[in-house]
Amino acid sequence: MLIAHLSDPHLRPKTHLYQDLVDSNAMFEAALDQLARLDPRPDVVLLTGDVVDEGMAEEYAVAAEMLAGIGLPLLVIPGNHDEREAFRACFAGHPYLAKAGPLHFAVGDLGPVRLVGLDVTVPGEHYGEVADEARFWLDSVLAAEPDRPTLVMMHQPPIVSGIPYIDDYNCRGGDRLAAVLSRHGQVERVLCGHVHRFMQARFGGTLLVTAPSTATAIALRLRPDAEPASFLEPPAMLLHHWTETTGLVTHYLPIGRFPGPYPFF
């Protein structure tokens, strides 16, 4: 099973730039072009939040138009820049999404790996939180299929990255989430976005990874007094490849067209 993982496109209304500097729509179009050229084709595409930048209806219209042609199953969760009800309306044709309340889901009919979405967004805030309702729901869902390899999607990572100005807005209640995950050994990865960088860390008895943004990259500044900044680094996506013999292998794939292939390695 091949799972493509994109995050944080921060789409804007047509002709508008992200932060008045970057054409995030064109960058997401390049990501979708890369997705279309993958061989073999992914079985499913995951999008871990901040689909749009300001939660505007005009932005979600752009998102719906751009995503309509991918020709692959798509699973989405909101991020802190999404507006929950506008997000729900944009993806109303996705039957796995709840009609009210948090947008948790569990999907098990796309291949051997079960895909669980955990909505940790707090409407009106940029930090995330694992509320009691969310952890009880997740515990019950994971307990229902204890022997099935599972990925858990969420937006804000529940860890400290070391980048001070993004850690102010991470997911609170990580200890409660870790306690739930530690009871369920079938969870192969926790998949996040939000940080606009690739990271990996041990968490809750499993491995947590963050997907880069298809737009800008948060500056990797690890001093506690670092000033917030971003760079226009090469965007990327992740590919999670599951086989019975190897389990889950995660690949980092830069987005773009590069010289090659050359007849050596």
Side-chain angles (χ1 to χ4, degrees):
M1 185 175 182
L2 186 61
I3 301 160
H5 178 190
L6 290 79
S7 200
D8 295 82
H10 287 269
L11 298 175
R12 301 287 289 127
K14 291 181 178 179
T15 76
H16 288 62
L17 299 179
Y18 173 51
Q19 300 296 319
D20 295 323
L21 293 170
V22 177
D23 192 345
S24 56
N25 295 8
M27 297 179 78
F28 192 55
E29 190 66 50
L32 296 179
D33 177 68
Q34 182 109 345
L35 192 66
R37 291 184 282 114
L38 291 176
D39 184 15
R41 296 277 279 158
D43 296 286
V44 60
V45 179
L46 311 181
L47 184 51
T48 49
D50 282 359
V51 177
V52 305
D53 191 47
E54 295 185 4
M56 300 165 55
E58 298 92 332
E59 294 173 325
Y60 284 111
V62 169
E65 181 179 333
M66 295 182 76
L67 291 167
I70 66 171
L72 296 165
L74 172 67
L75 303 181
V76 293
I77 56 170
N80 53 296
H81 283 261
D82 290 302
E83 197 285 319
R84 182 178 284 172
E85 297 312 316
F87 181 100
R88 197 190 317 269
C90 177
F91 297 105
H94 293 229
Y96 58 88
L97 290 176
K99 304 302 182 186
L103 292 158
H104 311 315
F105 62 82
V107 174
D109 60 354
L110 297 174
V113 178
R114 191 176 186 220
L115 303 162
V116 174
L118 187 67
D119 181 3
V120 296
T121 60
V122 179
E125 302 290 348
H126 283 293
Y127 65 86
E129 185 171 19
V130 181
D132 285 343
E133 174 273 335
R135 66 188 178 97
F136 295 150
W137 178 89
L138 181 63
D139 199 25
S140 174
V141 164
L142 295 177
E145 296 196 49
D147 300 318
R148 179 115 178 247
T150 299
L151 305 182
V152 175
M153 301 166 54
M154 54 193 295
H155 181 66
Q156 295 98 330
I159 62 170
V160 174
S161 72
I163 305 171
Y165 41 86
I166 199 69
D167 286 336
D168 287 340
Y169 307 108
N170 69 354
C171 180
R172 301 174 184 179
D175 54 342
R176 296 192 294 271
L177 178 59
V180 171
L181 294 172
S182 67
R183 293 195 288 271
H184 302 283
Q186 79 273 29
V187 177
E188 295 283 341
R189 296 284 190 281
V190 177
L191 307 179
C192 302
H194 187 61
V195 182
H196 289 218
R197 304 200 65 83
F198 174 74
M199 299 189 310
Q200 61 179 358
R202 294 290 300 174
F203 178 78
T206 187
L207 187 64
L208 179 148
V209 298
T210 63
S213 171
T214 61
T216 57
I218 298 294
L220 182 57
R221 294 180 171 180
L222 300 177
R223 292 181 58 89
D225 58 349
E227 290 293 323
S230 294
F231 285 95
L232 194 58
E233 296 178 5
M237 67 177 74
L238 301 182
L239 292 176
H240 308 286
H241 188 207
W242 167 268
T243 69
E244 289 289 343
T245 55
T246 63
L248 192 73
V249 177
T250 294
H251 300 269
Y252 177 97
L253 181 64
I255 294 167
R257 293 181 179 267
F258 306 102
Y262 299 112
F264 57 83
F265 58 93

